[in-house]
Amino acid sequence: MSPQMKLAAITLDCPDPLALAAFYQRATGLEPHPKSDADFAGLNGEHGLFIGFQRVDDYRAPSWPGQIVPQQLHICFTVEEDLDEAEARLLELGAGKPDHQPHGDRARVLTDPAGHPFCISPR
């Protein structure tokens, strides 16, 4: 059997790591990493998965669905509540909703405050 890798961390570039970590902390309920600071912040996820946010000078937000500035990554989350309720909650926290919604009623594409696209879908 060949060696298997286990995903341990995902890191997103952004202009303000603490602000983006706070958005995802409120959205997911994950615990902030105790050594988070203005240059690199993180959240301790389920099953040991770490989500990091690193400061990038002159950060340019993705232009999804266009490719002027490519999306860089795309994260998908499942939600317990109704999609409309989840969307409203996330928009209240600072998410955006692009006009382009390719998944119909199966999922919603939103953007975090730094512009990274992410999907929510029912569990």
Side-chain angles (χ1 to χ4, degrees):
M1 176 179 224
S2 62
Q4 294 186 10
M5 296 189 302
K6 179 181 176 187
L7 183 61
I10 297 171
T11 300
L12 288 75
D13 290 350
C14 62
D16 186 340
L18 291 171
L20 195 56
F23 167 80
Y24 278 105
Q25 192 277 324
R26 290 189 310 268
T28 64
L30 297 176
E31 290 297 316
H33 190 277
K35 293 186 179 179
S36 294
D37 62 32
D39 289 319
F40 189 90
L43 299 174
N44 295 315
E46 296 177 29
H47 310 292
L49 180 62
F50 178 83
I51 303 174
F53 309 93
Q54 66 185 359
R55 177 180 302 282
V56 171
D57 293 331
D58 301 321
Y59 172 78
R60 293 181 4 170
S63 58
W64 190 89
Q67 293 297 305
I68 294 169
V69 179
Q71 69 178 340
Q72 302 159 14
L73 82 144
H74 188 98
I75 303 173
C76 295
F77 296 92
T78 57
V79 294
E80 298 291 334
E81 70 260 56
D82 173 81
L83 276 181
D84 290 334
E85 292 170 5
E87 177 185 310
R89 178 175 63 86
L90 292 163
L91 291 173
E92 208 170 274
L93 292 176
K97 183 178 179 185
D99 291 335
H100 182 63
Q101 293 292 318
H103 305 298
D105 293 335
R106 295 186 326 273
R108 306 277 165 78
V109 178
L110 301 174
T111 55
D112 69 23
H116 303 105
F118 65 94
C119 282
I120 56 172
S121 62
R123 185 172 294 272

